[in-house]
Amino acid sequence: MSSAGERTVNGKRELTEGLAAQILEHIRSGALATGTHLTAQELAERFSVSRFPVGQALQLLAAKGVLTHQRNRGYFVSDVKDVSPETLGLSTKDDASEVYFRIAEDHLQGRLPEPASEAYLKESYGISKAQLNAVLGRIAQEGWAERRPGYGWSFSPMLTTPESLEQTYRVRLALEPAALLEPTYRLDRDIAARCREAELRLLGGAIETDSAAALHERGVRFHEAIIGASGNPFFLEAVRRINRVRRLLSYRSMVDRKRYRQQCEEHLQILDLLERERNEEASQALRRHLEHTIGNLQEIRPILEH
């Protein structure tokens, strides 16, 4: 039987490797090009963790050659064309994410006590203090839980209804097509290629095998990549804020995966238009794509209300 100390060490190693794998996938998906400067703060916000585990993950990726480290300047992206978490020997096991989704589901079902003590959460989900801190830090950053003075955690009702999820899509409907029409718009060719690779991988069978978290992240990465090419950072920041808070319900919507083939094909159509610099048509295609998603929410409403 492993000791508590061994479990803690293993938990921290899995957390570091799991986060390193996520950062690598974030780079490879097209959000970051070779030579890009990585900041711990931006990655901490993206993955809803503190800067300390991000720093450990960056050190690990640098040791494996994925990043270069320059003294007093930080970490920079290297060539990751033929690199994956598997080729680097990184464990993609992510107990923290698994517990995150279990807590999210229990919150949606109204099964969590109010407030919930950390002792209760550790015992209920069978995790270490380090893992619990990582999960609660992520949840707090996404805005649906906060620490109670002196005792436990309170979980917010925010974004636990189909109506609130639809509202986030309507905000995106107003923002994202407009971002593609910015005069400074420029989609990097390598980023477009990696976005295409991710969509083709899903069409090749990963729609059925990827986790709900992986499917959610792939959609987030695609939309943030094409919006990030607008040259206007305020569009991207607004979309990122929305993406952080909508996860709670959007992952549940992935129980029904039949619609994902159409979504992938629509993503590829948008990419084709952007690469041909037909941004007006791409903007219209993106609008139709988001409208289809809003329509799909009505069809899966029973799943969201479950």
Side-chain angles (χ1 to χ4, degrees), residues 99-110 112 138-139 142-145 155-162 164-165 168-169 212 216-217 220 241-255 303-306:
V99 171
Y100 166 94
F101 286 117
R102 287 171 60 196
I103 293 176
E105 186 63 29
D106 287 343
H107 177 40
L108 289 169
Q109 296 281 5
L112 293 176
R138 173 176 172 180
I139 292 171
E142 290 175 2
W144 53 278
F155 292 85
S156 162
M158 185 171 126
L159 280 187
T160 59
T161 66
S164 59
L165 182 59
T168 68
Y169 276 101
H216 175 85
E217 286 302 326
V220 165
R241 287 176 65 87
I242 292 169
N243 284 336
R244 280 199 292 267
V245 300
R246 73 183 176 90
R247 179 189 299 262
L248 194 55
L249 271 178
S250 67
Y251 92 89
R252 180 188 272 185
S253 72
M254 293 166 192
V255 171
I303 295 174
L304 297 174
E305 292 178 331
H306 176 66

Side-chain angles (χ1 to χ4, degrees), residues 171-197:
V171 174
R172 292 176 61 198
L173 188 61
L175 288 173
E176 294 191 23
L180 271 53
L181 302 178
E182 284 293 282
T184 51
Y185 194 92
R186 179 185 171 276
L187 181 60
D188 182 86
R189 192 171 295 178
D190 289 341
I191 288 177
R194 286 194 286 267
C195 285
R196 185 182 304 280
E197 178 187 346

Side-chain angles (χ1 to χ4, degrees), residues 227-244:
I227 301 309
S230 70
N232 184 334
F234 295 101
F235 277 109
L236 182 58
E237 178 57 27
V239 171
R240 281 179 172 169
R241 287 176 65 87
I242 292 169
N243 284 336
R244 280 199 292 267

Side-chain angles (χ1 to χ4, degrees), residues 70-218:
Q70 298 180 22
R71 188 173 180 180
N72 299 325
R73 293 193 64 205
Y75 293 91
F76 296 82
V77 177
S78 297
D79 183 9
V80 295
K81 187 180 298 183
D82 299 317
V83 176
S84 70
E86 290 74 23
T87 61
L88 293 181
L90 293 175
S91 169
T92 55
K93 182 181 180 183
D94 187 358
D95 289 339
S97 284
E98 180 184 339
V99 171
Y100 166 94
F101 286 117
R102 287 171 60 196
I103 293 176
E105 186 63 29
D106 287 343
H107 177 40
L108 289 169
Q109 296 281 5
R111 292 193 288 252
L112 293 176
E114 180 59 32
S117 70
E118 292 189 6
Y120 167 86
L121 294 170
K122 279 178 58 181
E123 183 176 351
S124 296
Y125 298 102
I127 55 176
S128 68
K129 183 173 178 58
Q131 289 169 326
L132 180 63
N133 287 341
V135 172
L136 291 176
R138 173 176 172 180
I139 292 171
Q141 193 152 355
E142 290 175 2
W144 53 278
E146 62 179 5
R147 187 188 295 275
R148 287 282 294 269
Y151 180 83
W153 289 74
S154 290
F155 292 85
S156 162
M158 185 171 126
L159 280 187
T160 59
T161 66
E163 289 80 9
S164 59
L165 182 59
E166 181 175 335
Q167 286 170 349
T168 68
Y169 276 101
R170 293 205 172 278
V171 174
R172 292 176 61 198
L173 188 61
L175 288 173
E176 294 191 23
L180 271 53
L181 302 178
E182 284 293 282
T184 51
Y185 194 92
R186 179 185 171 276
L187 181 60
D188 182 86
R189 192 171 295 178
D190 289 341
I191 288 177
R194 286 194 286 267
C195 285
R196 185 182 304 280
E197 178 187 346
E199 300 301 322
L200 292 175
R201 175 182 169 277
L202 288 180
L203 288 172
I207 288 174
E208 300 303 325
T209 58
D210 274 5
S211 67
L215 285 175
H216 175 85
E217 286 302 326
R218 154 261 174 195

